[in-house]
């Protein structure tokens, strides 16, 4: 039972469509989320580096213009006013003595001995011993001293952590939307096919071809299939009605000539005259030719009514056609007239 149910599920078109939709939707969401997360992390890192480099150049200019006092006043003024984000600043003398040092207390502890005091544009990273953060430091050689400016990645990590939580929440919502959207899309997409299936089932059960499939005027392939199926049913209905009418006409029109054939044969068999036999056979042959001609005419009429006859349209002389019809039915009309008069 379980294997049969599994096979039915694996073969269900609606389930496969919903799975494909859900998979595509989730993969697209994950890819967009990962790319967005990577781009955001890269932009935040580039922003921190730009702040560090611009501040490093500004402090280097102040130091070269006014020396250590000018640099110290600038740092103190910015810290009091809060015009600049908190930064790590260190000025190391030629004998590796620290001339100036500034590190926000809220950043935690960093092993600053690992920082190099070398040439320009050296990027260094120092990990915090008590927090999940990295101190990124840029170094520039001023000739008589080495200036270092750095910024912790704690704020950036916190922002990315919040973004990850939002991203996970968005992934959950995307999963719910994907499931609901997949079910809705599958049901709406397969509804014309289900209508077509139900119509075929009713026709097979009842044998009535006057049933029709609903058309939703969506102008898509499935809607076109429904329209063509309805046209096919209409054509089949026309053919069946034509066959019924043809059979009725044949049964009605052949009754009289067949009766004449029977009467002629019975009359001949009632006598022993060879001349009567010969005349009866001649009459039977004439009647059979008339029956064959009548059958051919009825079949042509039936094909013309059902639309299966291929007609070759040509120009005809209408006056000559009318005259032929008059000549064909003139004797019959005169006989009928005499019978009415008598």
């Amino acid at each position: 039972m379980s294997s049969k149910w599994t096979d039915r599920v694996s073969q269900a078109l609606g389930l496969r469509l919903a799975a494909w939709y859900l998979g595509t939707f989730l993969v697209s969401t994950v890819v967009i989320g990962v790319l967005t997360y990577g781009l955001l992390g890269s932009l935040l890192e580039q922003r921190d580096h730009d702040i560090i480099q611009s501040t490093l150049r500004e402090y280097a200019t102040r130091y070269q213009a006014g020396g250590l006092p000018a640099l110290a006043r600038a740092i103190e003024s910015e810290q009091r006013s809060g015009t600049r984000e908190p930064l790590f600043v260190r000025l190391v003398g030629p004998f590796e003595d620290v001339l100036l040092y500034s590190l926000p207390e809220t950043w935690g502890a960093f092993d600053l001995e690992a920082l190099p005091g070398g040439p320009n544009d050296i990027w260094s990273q120092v990990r915090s011993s008590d927090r999940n953060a990295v101190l990124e430091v840029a170094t520039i050689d001023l000739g008589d001293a080495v200036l270092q400016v750095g910024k912790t990645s704690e704020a950036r990590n916190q922002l990315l952590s919040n973004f990850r939580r939002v991203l996970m929440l968005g992934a959950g919502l995307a999963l719910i939307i994907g499931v609901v959207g997949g079910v809705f899309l599958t049901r709406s997409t397969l509804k014309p096919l289900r209508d077509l299936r139900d119509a075929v089932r009713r026709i097979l059960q009842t044998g009535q071809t006057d049933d029709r499939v609903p058309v939703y005027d969506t102008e898509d392939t499935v809607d076109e299939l429904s329209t063509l199926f309805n046209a096919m049913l209409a054509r089949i209905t026309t053919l069946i009605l034509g066959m019924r009418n043809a059979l009725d006409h044949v049964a009605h029109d052949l009754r009289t000539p067949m009766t004449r054939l029977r009467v002629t044969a019975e009359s001949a068999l009632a006598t022993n005259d060879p001349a009567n036999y010969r005349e009866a056979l001649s009459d039977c042959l004439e009647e059979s030719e008339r029956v064959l001609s009548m059958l051919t005419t009825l079949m042509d009429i039936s094909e013309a009514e059902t639309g299966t006859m291929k007609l070759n349209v040509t120009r005809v002389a209408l006056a000559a056609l009318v005259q032929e019809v008059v000549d064909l039915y003139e004797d019959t009309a005169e006989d009928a007239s005499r019978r009415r008069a008598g």
Side-chain angles (χ1 to χ4, degrees), residues 25-218:
F25 188 78
L26 288 181
V27 169
S28 302
T29 303
V30 171
V31 170
I32 294 174
V34 171
L35 292 177
T36 305
Y37 179 81
L39 180 61
L40 178 61
S42 177
L43 291 176
L44 291 176
E45 182 180 4
Q46 184 63 40
R47 174 182 175 275
D48 289 346
H49 288 182
D50 291 342
I51 292 175
I52 294 172
Q53 288 179 333
S54 63
T55 306
L56 182 65
R57 289 191 295 267
E58 180 183 348
Y59 286 172
T61 302
R62 289 181 179 273
Y63 177 79
Q64 291 173 348
L68 181 59
L71 177 59
R73 286 194 301 270
I75 295 174
E76 183 180 1
S77 175
E78 290 175 355
Q79 289 178 349
R80 288 180 178 178
S81 62
T83 57
R84 192 187 301 273
E85 295 185 29
L87 296 173
F88 161 75
V89 182
R90 188 173 72 167
L91 185 65
V92 182
F95 302 104
E96 296 187 358
D97 51 332
V98 178
L99 304 178
L100 184 127
Y101 176 81
S102 175
L103 179 67
E105 296 180 356
T106 57
W107 283 9
F110 293 93
D111 185 11
L112 301 179
E113 294 182 358
L115 287 177
N120 298 349
D121 299 331
I122 296 295
W123 283 96
S124 305
Q125 290 185 349
V126 180
R127 289 198 169 273
S128 174
S129 59
D130 57 352
R131 299 186 183 186
N132 184 23
V134 174
L135 179 62
E136 298 176 330
V137 180
T139 304
I140 185 172
D141 189 1
L142 301 178
D144 59 343
V146 173
L147 179 61
Q148 296 175 326
V149 176
K151 189 175 185 298
T152 181
S153 63
E154 185 174 359
R156 186 173 72 219
N157 293 341
Q158 183 63 36
L159 181 59
L160 291 176
S161 177
N162 294 335
F163 182 78
R164 284 195 299 270
R165 285 195 291 269
V166 173
L167 192 62
M168 294 299 295
L169 178 61
L173 293 176
L175 177 61
I176 297 174
I177 294 174
V179 171
V180 175
V183 172
F184 175 77
L185 180 64
T186 301
R187 290 181 63 85
S188 61
T189 302
L190 295 182
K191 189 177 188 311
L193 295 180
R194 290 195 298 271
D195 293 338
L196 180 61
R197 178 202 60 192
D198 296 339
V200 173
R201 182 176 296 167
R202 289 193 298 269
I203 291 173
L204 292 177
Q205 292 175 350
T206 62
Q208 301 295 326
T209 59
D210 55 352
D211 200 348
R212 293 296 181 268
V213 180
V215 179
Y216 299 98
D217 296 328
T218 56

